[in-house]
Amino acid sequence: MIKEPTKGSEAWGMVPIVLFLVVWEIASRSQILSVHYFVPPPSAVVEEFYRLTIEGELGVNFLSSLSRVLIGFCAGSLAGLLTGIIMGWNEIAHRTLHPLFSLFYPIPALGWLPLLIIWCGISEVLPIALIFISSFFPILDNTITGIKTVPKNYIKVAETLGASRYKVLTTVILPLALPNIFTGLRLTTGMAWRVIIAAEMVAIPTGIGALLMRAQSLIRIDIIIVCLIILSIMCLAFERFFLFMERRLTGRWSQHV
Amino acid sequence: MSEITLKGINNFACKNVTLRIREGEILVLLGPTGAGKTTLLNVIAGLIPYHGTVCINGNAIDNVAASQRNVGYLFQDLSLFPHLSVASNVAYGLTMRKMPHRERSVDELLRLMKIGHLAERYPGDLSGGERQRVALARAIAPAPKVLLLDEPLSSLDFRTSRYFMMEIRRIQRALGITTLYVTHSFIEAREMADRVGVMHEGRLEQVGSPEEVFTYPANERVADFIGPPNVLDCEQSETLGRGLVEVCCGGNKIIVPYDGGEVKKISISPRHIYVSIEKPPGPTVNRFRGVVDEVMVSDLVSRYKIKIGDTFLVAELPRGVCEEMDLSPGREVFLVLKLRWINVIEGGGVVNG
C-alpha cells in the first residue's frame, strides 16, 4: 500500500541534516580532522554569518546579487516568454526565427562573458546582460514547446465555440502551456544564481560572488561556507517559489493534460 | 431549427459529397474508418479547407470563419478543457459569443444534462459518462444551428453507451436541433437515426431511412459495410414475369422480386433470414437446407454462418431464440429467405439524397 507523505516523514528528512551538522561540529572541535583549520565547525560559520550580517557586509553584497538576478531574470524571462508566444503561435515567425534561436541556444551562458566584458565593460550591465541571456533562451524554448504541444483539438473546439484567434491564445493555449513555462522558469532561476556568482567572481567587485573571491584570497573558509549556504538557500527559495506558483495555478488540472 | 445542405463537397477525403440534412432530424453518417465522415463534420464546422458549398437554411457559409458558424461540435475525444471547471467548460461558448444570462443558461443546461452537482469539478476528476455529458452540454450551450457529433459513444462501455444514446435522443428532441451524427456502430445508427447515410472512401453511397439502408443496400459497397457478406453473385437470371426473377447463386435457385432486366447481385439482411431446426411447411421456394459453420455471439444477438451448397449466408437471431434452438457448428438447419427482403443490387449504386 502506498502511504501519503505526512508531516512526520517531512520532519524525518531533517534528521540527516542535523546529524551531519553534529558530526561536523564534533569532528571539527575534537580535531579528529588534521586539517581542522580548513573545515571550521558549524558554530563558527554561524558566528561569522552573524558578524557579517551585523556589520552589513553580507546584506550589501547579497542585495547587489539579488537585484542583478531579479532585473536580469525578469527581463530575460519576459522577453523569452513574449518571443516564445510569438514563435509558438505564429508559424511564419517560428520558421523565420527558429534557425537563429537554434544557433544561439546551445552556447553556455558563461561563454558570452568575454564578449559581454568587451561590449558592456565592467559595469552593472554586465551581470544583468549575462543573466538576461541565460534566462531568455530556456524560457523561449519551454514556451514554444508548451504552445506547440497543446492538442490541436482544444483549438478546434474553442474555434467552434466562437473564440477568436486572440481568445484561443489567451483562454486555451497559454493556460495549457503554463506547466511547460513554469518548468522553464524553475530551471532558469537556479541557473541565474549560478551565473551571477560566476560573473561576480570573475569581473564584478560587489555581490556574493565577489565576497566569495575575497574570502578565498584571505583563506576565510567560514565566509566561503556562509556564501555557499546563502547561494543554496536562494536557489532553493526561487525554485520553490515557482513550484508553489505552478501548483497554485495549474495544480488542479495539470496532471490530466 | 435549421436545414443543412452540402453541395459537391470535395477535398483530400471527400469526393463530391452532396447531402441535405432536414430541419430537426438526426442523420447518422455510417462508414468504415477512413471513409471521410469526420472530415465532412470538419468541413461543416469550417475547420478544414474544401471546395463546394455548405448552406445553413439556404445561406452559403463557405466564407464564414469557424468561430462565426455557430455550429456545435462534439469531438470524438471530447477535448474538454482540462484547466477549466465543468461550469466554465459549459460557459465557454456563451462567454466567447458574449451571450446574455450566462449563469442562468449554464445552470439550466447542467440541470438538463443532470450534472449540476459536478459544476465545480474539473474534467480530470470525472467518469467517462460524466465527461460525455459535459462535452455535450458545452457543445449545445451557445444554441448552435446544427450539432455535429463525432462518434460520441466510442469511449463508453456498452451499458453506459446505451443509456447515453437515449439521453442524446431526448436532448436532441427537446431542443429540436438538426444533428449530424458520425459512427460506425449499426446499433447506434438503428436506434438514433431518422435517416442514415453510408460513406465509403469519401463518397456518400446511400442515404435513406435505417430500414431502407439496412434492408436495401444501394450497392455492393454499402452491402459489404452494413452487413456480413450476404451479397450473392448471380450466375443465371431468368425473368418469371409478375415482378419476379429466378436467379441462381452458388447452385441455389432463388426467387427475387425485381422488375428490371438481368440480375447480377442480390443481398439479404441477416435479420431477414428465417432459421429453423425443423423443415418449414409450405412450398419449397427460397427454402434451403444448410449446416451451421460458425457461431458469433454478441450482447443482444447471435449470428450464424451457414453453408448452403457452395454458398455461405449469415443469419441473425435474438440470443434467447438461439439458446432455445441450441445451434452449434455442424448442426443441420433450414433457412427461409423472406422474399420481400431480398434486395437486388444495381450496378452504379443509388443515392437517395
mmCIF file of all heavy atoms in Angstrom, chain B residues 295-320:
data_model
loop_
_atom_site.group_PDB
_atom_site.id
_atom_site.type_symbol
_atom_site.label_atom_id
_atom_site.label_comp_id
_atom_site.label_asym_id
_atom_site.label_seq_id
_atom_site.Cartn_x
_atom_site.Cartn_y
_atom_site.Cartn_z
ATOM 1 N N VAL B 295 -20.477 -19.822 -35.197
ATOM 2 C CA VAL B 295 -21.424 -19.084 -34.345
ATOM 3 C C VAL B 295 -20.720 -17.851 -33.797
ATOM 4 O O VAL B 295 -19.610 -17.953 -33.278
ATOM 5 C CB VAL B 295 -21.908 -19.972 -33.167
ATOM 6 C CG1 VAL B 295 -22.890 -19.203 -32.285
ATOM 7 C CG2 VAL B 295 -22.539 -21.246 -33.688
ATOM 8 N N MET B 296 -21.350 -16.675 -33.942
ATOM 9 C CA MET B 296 -20.769 -15.418 -33.432
ATOM 10 C C MET B 296 -21.773 -14.812 -32.459
ATOM 11 O O MET B 296 -22.857 -14.391 -32.871
ATOM 12 C CB MET B 296 -20.511 -14.453 -34.582
ATOM 13 C CG MET B 296 -19.480 -14.963 -35.577
ATOM 14 S SD MET B 296 -19.597 -14.175 -37.187
ATOM 15 C CE MET B 296 -20.850 -15.142 -37.988
ATOM 16 N N VAL B 297 -21.430 -14.815 -31.171
ATOM 17 C CA VAL B 297 -22.378 -14.349 -30.148
ATOM 18 C C VAL B 297 -21.993 -12.945 -29.713
ATOM 19 O O VAL B 297 -20.835 -12.672 -29.433
ATOM 20 C CB VAL B 297 -22.356 -15.296 -28.923
ATOM 21 C CG1 VAL B 297 -23.344 -14.830 -27.863
ATOM 22 C CG2 VAL B 297 -22.680 -16.714 -29.360
ATOM 23 N N SER B 298 -22.977 -12.022 -29.678
ATOM 24 C CA SER B 298 -22.727 -10.684 -29.125
ATOM 25 C C SER B 298 -23.732 -10.440 -28.005
ATOM 26 O O SER B 298 -24.420 -11.360 -27.572
ATOM 27 C CB SER B 298 -22.817 -9.625 -30.216
ATOM 28 O OG SER B 298 -24.140 -9.546 -30.666
ATOM 29 N N ASP B 299 -23.823 -9.183 -27.553
ATOM 30 C CA ASP B 299 -24.647 -8.898 -26.374
ATOM 31 C C ASP B 299 -26.129 -9.204 -26.565
ATOM 32 O O ASP B 299 -26.767 -9.770 -25.707
ATOM 33 C CB ASP B 299 -24.484 -7.419 -25.984
ATOM 34 C CG ASP B 299 -23.098 -7.163 -25.426
ATOM 35 O OD1 ASP B 299 -22.756 -7.849 -24.449
ATOM 36 O OD2 ASP B 299 -22.385 -6.326 -25.970
ATOM 37 N N LEU B 300 -26.663 -8.802 -27.701
ATOM 38 C CA LEU B 300 -28.106 -8.934 -27.888
ATOM 39 C C LEU B 300 -28.490 -9.998 -28.899
ATOM 40 O O LEU B 300 -29.567 -10.569 -28.817
ATOM 41 C CB LEU B 300 -28.698 -7.586 -28.350
ATOM 42 C CG LEU B 300 -28.591 -6.437 -27.351
ATOM 43 C CD1 LEU B 300 -29.137 -5.174 -27.976
ATOM 44 C CD2 LEU B 300 -29.355 -6.763 -26.089
ATOM 45 N N VAL B 301 -27.628 -10.217 -29.875
ATOM 46 C CA VAL B 301 -27.985 -11.146 -30.951
ATOM 47 C C VAL B 301 -26.859 -12.158 -31.169
ATOM 48 O O VAL B 301 -25.730 -11.952 -30.738
ATOM 49 C CB VAL B 301 -28.225 -10.395 -32.283
ATOM 50 C CG1 VAL B 301 -29.413 -9.470 -32.194
ATOM 51 C CG2 VAL B 301 -26.975 -9.655 -32.715
ATOM 52 N N SER B 302 -27.231 -13.237 -31.829
ATOM 53 C CA SER B 302 -26.209 -14.194 -32.254
ATOM 54 C C SER B 302 -26.248 -14.270 -33.770
ATOM 55 O O SER B 302 -27.324 -14.167 -34.376
ATOM 56 C CB SER B 302 -26.499 -15.568 -31.668
ATOM 57 O OG SER B 302 -26.336 -15.526 -30.276
ATOM 58 N N ARG B 303 -25.104 -14.451 -34.352
ATOM 59 C CA ARG B 303 -25.032 -14.572 -35.811
ATOM 60 C C ARG B 303 -24.482 -15.950 -36.159
ATOM 61 O O ARG B 303 -23.531 -16.424 -35.513
ATOM 62 C CB ARG B 303 -24.147 -13.479 -36.389
ATOM 63 C CG ARG B 303 -24.807 -12.124 -36.273
ATOM 64 C CD ARG B 303 -24.024 -11.049 -36.942
ATOM 65 N NE ARG B 303 -24.903 -9.916 -37.209
ATOM 66 C CZ ARG B 303 -24.609 -8.906 -38.004
ATOM 67 N NH1 ARG B 303 -23.458 -8.892 -38.632
ATOM 68 N NH2 ARG B 303 -25.459 -7.928 -38.202
ATOM 69 N N TYR B 304 -25.068 -16.527 -37.197
ATOM 70 C CA TYR B 304 -24.678 -17.867 -37.621
ATOM 71 C C TYR B 304 -24.252 -17.833 -39.062
ATOM 72 O O TYR B 304 -24.979 -17.316 -39.914
ATOM 73 C CB TYR B 304 -25.853 -18.837 -37.467
ATOM 74 C CG TYR B 304 -26.237 -18.990 -36.021
ATOM 75 C CD1 TYR B 304 -27.216 -18.173 -35.469
ATOM 76 C CD2 TYR B 304 -25.589 -19.914 -35.227
ATOM 77 C CE1 TYR B 304 -27.546 -18.276 -34.135
ATOM 78 C CE2 TYR B 304 -25.905 -20.029 -33.891
ATOM 79 C CZ TYR B 304 -26.882 -19.210 -33.342
ATOM 80 O OH TYR B 304 -27.183 -19.304 -32.017
ATOM 81 N N LYS B 305 -23.053 -18.374 -39.327
ATOM 82 C CA LYS B 305 -22.609 -18.523 -40.703
ATOM 83 C C LYS B 305 -23.040 -19.932 -41.133
ATOM 84 O O LYS B 305 -22.634 -20.930 -40.499
ATOM 85 C CB LYS B 305 -21.090 -18.370 -40.759
ATOM 86 C CG LYS B 305 -20.527 -18.212 -42.130
ATOM 87 C CD LYS B 305 -19.035 -17.917 -42.003
ATOM 88 C CE LYS B 305 -18.367 -17.934 -43.352
ATOM 89 N NZ LYS B 305 -16.906 -17.874 -43.225
ATOM 90 N N ILE B 306 -23.885 -19.978 -42.154
ATOM 91 C CA ILE B 306 -24.494 -21.251 -42.538
ATOM 92 C C ILE B 306 -24.119 -21.578 -43.988
ATOM 93 O O ILE B 306 -24.202 -20.706 -44.871
ATOM 94 C CB ILE B 306 -26.028 -21.162 -42.368
ATOM 95 C CG1 ILE B 306 -26.357 -20.910 -40.890
ATOM 96 C CG2 ILE B 306 -26.706 -22.453 -42.860
ATOM 97 C CD1 ILE B 306 -27.774 -20.474 -40.643
ATOM 98 N N LYS B 307 -23.703 -22.814 -44.214
ATOM 99 C CA LYS B 307 -23.281 -23.227 -45.558
ATOM 100 C C LYS B 307 -24.474 -23.848 -46.278
ATOM 101 O O LYS B 307 -25.112 -24.769 -45.764
ATOM 102 C CB LYS B 307 -22.138 -24.245 -45.444
ATOM 103 C CG LYS B 307 -21.486 -24.586 -46.765
ATOM 104 C CD LYS B 307 -20.153 -25.306 -46.538
ATOM 105 C CE LYS B 307 -19.358 -25.366 -47.824
ATOM 106 N NZ LYS B 307 -19.508 -26.563 -48.578
ATOM 107 N N ILE B 308 -24.768 -23.290 -47.472
ATOM 108 C CA ILE B 308 -25.840 -23.847 -48.308
ATOM 109 C C ILE B 308 -25.217 -24.137 -49.669
ATOM 110 O O ILE B 308 -24.861 -23.195 -50.382
ATOM 111 C CB ILE B 308 -26.979 -22.838 -48.506
ATOM 112 C CG1 ILE B 308 -27.424 -22.291 -47.151
ATOM 113 C CG2 ILE B 308 -28.160 -23.461 -49.238
ATOM 114 C CD1 ILE B 308 -28.103 -20.972 -47.286
ATOM 115 N N GLY B 309 -25.075 -25.347 -50.008
ATOM 116 C CA GLY B 309 -24.401 -25.676 -51.264
ATOM 117 C C GLY B 309 -22.993 -25.117 -51.235
ATOM 118 O O GLY B 309 -22.228 -25.356 -50.295
ATOM 119 N N ASP B 310 -22.670 -24.284 -52.235
ATOM 120 C CA ASP B 310 -21.327 -23.683 -52.283
ATOM 121 C C ASP B 310 -21.307 -22.289 -51.656
ATOM 122 O O ASP B 310 -20.307 -21.572 -51.760
ATOM 123 C CB ASP B 310 -20.866 -23.566 -53.754
ATOM 124 C CG ASP B 310 -20.756 -24.936 -54.397
ATOM 125 O OD1 ASP B 310 -20.548 -25.910 -53.645
ATOM 126 O OD2 ASP B 310 -20.900 -25.025 -55.635
ATOM 127 N N THR B 311 -22.419 -21.893 -51.062
ATOM 128 C CA THR B 311 -22.549 -20.507 -50.606
ATOM 129 C C THR B 311 -22.670 -20.461 -49.084
ATOM 130 O O THR B 311 -23.197 -21.380 -48.463
ATOM 131 C CB THR B 311 -23.829 -19.888 -51.218
ATOM 132 O OG1 THR B 311 -23.752 -20.038 -52.618
ATOM 133 C CG2 THR B 311 -23.968 -18.418 -50.872
ATOM 134 N N PHE B 312 -22.157 -19.336 -48.534
ATOM 135 C CA PHE B 312 -22.341 -19.104 -47.099
ATOM 136 C C PHE B 312 -23.314 -17.947 -46.915
ATOM 137 O O PHE B 312 -23.230 -16.929 -47.611
ATOM 138 C CB PHE B 312 -21.007 -18.741 -46.442
ATOM 139 C CG PHE B 312 -20.091 -19.917 -46.283
ATOM 140 C CD1 PHE B 312 -19.108 -20.172 -47.225
ATOM 141 C CD2 PHE B 312 -20.228 -20.771 -45.201
ATOM 142 C CE1 PHE B 312 -18.263 -21.262 -47.088
ATOM 143 C CE2 PHE B 312 -19.385 -21.868 -45.057
ATOM 144 C CZ PHE B 312 -18.397 -22.116 -45.997
ATOM 145 N N LEU B 313 -24.230 -18.077 -45.985
ATOM 146 C CA LEU B 313 -25.118 -16.974 -45.613
ATOM 147 C C LEU B 313 -24.985 -16.735 -44.120
ATOM 148 O O LEU B 313 -24.739 -17.675 -43.353
ATOM 149 C CB LEU B 313 -26.574 -17.316 -45.936
ATOM 150 C CG LEU B 313 -27.009 -17.202 -47.392
ATOM 151 C CD1 LEU B 313 -28.453 -17.670 -47.543
ATOM 152 C CD2 LEU B 313 -26.884 -15.762 -47.892
ATOM 153 N N VAL B 314 -25.151 -15.479 -43.704
ATOM 154 C CA VAL B 314 -25.124 -15.175 -42.273
ATOM 155 C C VAL B 314 -26.533 -14.809 -41.845
ATOM 156 O O VAL B 314 -27.188 -13.966 -42.467
ATOM 157 C CB VAL B 314 -24.151 -14.012 -41.969
ATOM 158 C CG1 VAL B 314 -24.231 -13.637 -40.500
ATOM 159 C CG2 VAL B 314 -22.738 -14.421 -42.334
ATOM 160 N N ALA B 315 -27.012 -15.464 -40.797
ATOM 161 C CA ALA B 315 -28.343 -15.191 -40.263
ATOM 162 C C ALA B 315 -28.195 -14.642 -38.857
ATOM 163 O O ALA B 315 -27.269 -15.012 -38.128
ATOM 164 C CB ALA B 315 -29.165 -16.473 -40.243
ATOM 165 N N GLU B 316 -29.084 -13.736 -38.502
ATOM 166 C CA GLU B 316 -29.002 -13.101 -37.184
ATOM 167 C C GLU B 316 -30.268 -13.429 -36.402
ATOM 168 O O GLU B 316 -31.382 -13.271 -36.912
ATOM 169 C CB GLU B 316 -28.878 -11.586 -37.377
ATOM 170 C CG GLU B 316 -28.747 -10.808 -36.096
ATOM 171 C CD GLU B 316 -28.638 -9.315 -36.370
ATOM 172 O OE1 GLU B 316 -27.677 -8.900 -37.044
ATOM 173 O OE2 GLU B 316 -29.553 -8.586 -35.939
ATOM 174 N N LEU B 317 -30.101 -13.863 -35.178
ATOM 175 C CA LEU B 317 -31.260 -14.225 -34.343
ATOM 176 C C LEU B 317 -31.075 -13.619 -32.960
ATOM 177 O O LEU B 317 -29.945 -13.498 -32.475
ATOM 178 C CB LEU B 317 -31.347 -15.747 -34.196
ATOM 179 C CG LEU B 317 -31.567 -16.566 -35.471
ATOM 180 C CD1 LEU B 317 -31.370 -18.040 -35.182
ATOM 181 C CD2 LEU B 317 -32.968 -16.329 -36.017
ATOM 182 N N PRO B 318 -32.199 -13.299 -32.310
ATOM 183 C CA PRO B 318 -32.078 -12.830 -30.920
ATOM 184 C C PRO B 318 -31.458 -13.940 -30.068
ATOM 185 O O PRO B 318 -31.677 -15.120 -30.336
ATOM 186 C CB PRO B 318 -33.525 -12.555 -30.509
ATOM 187 C CG PRO B 318 -34.278 -12.426 -31.782
ATOM 188 C CD PRO B 318 -33.582 -13.297 -32.775
ATOM 189 N N ARG B 319 -30.718 -13.557 -29.042
ATOM 190 C CA ARG B 319 -29.979 -14.555 -28.260
ATOM 191 C C ARG B 319 -30.885 -15.597 -27.610
ATOM 192 O O ARG B 319 -30.555 -16.772 -27.555
ATOM 193 C CB ARG B 319 -29.146 -13.857 -27.176
ATOM 194 C CG ARG B 319 -27.809 -13.437 -27.714
ATOM 195 C CD ARG B 319 -26.896 -12.980 -26.621
ATOM 196 N NE ARG B 319 -26.454 -14.088 -25.785
ATOM 197 C CZ ARG B 319 -25.540 -13.961 -24.843
ATOM 198 N NH1 ARG B 319 -24.996 -12.794 -24.622
ATOM 199 N NH2 ARG B 319 -25.178 -14.993 -24.130
ATOM 200 N N GLY B 320 -32.043 -15.145 -27.145
ATOM 201 C CA GLY B 320 -32.965 -16.068 -26.488
ATOM 202 C C GLY B 320 -33.377 -17.200 -27.422
ATOM 203 O O GLY B 320 -33.382 -18.385 -27.045
#
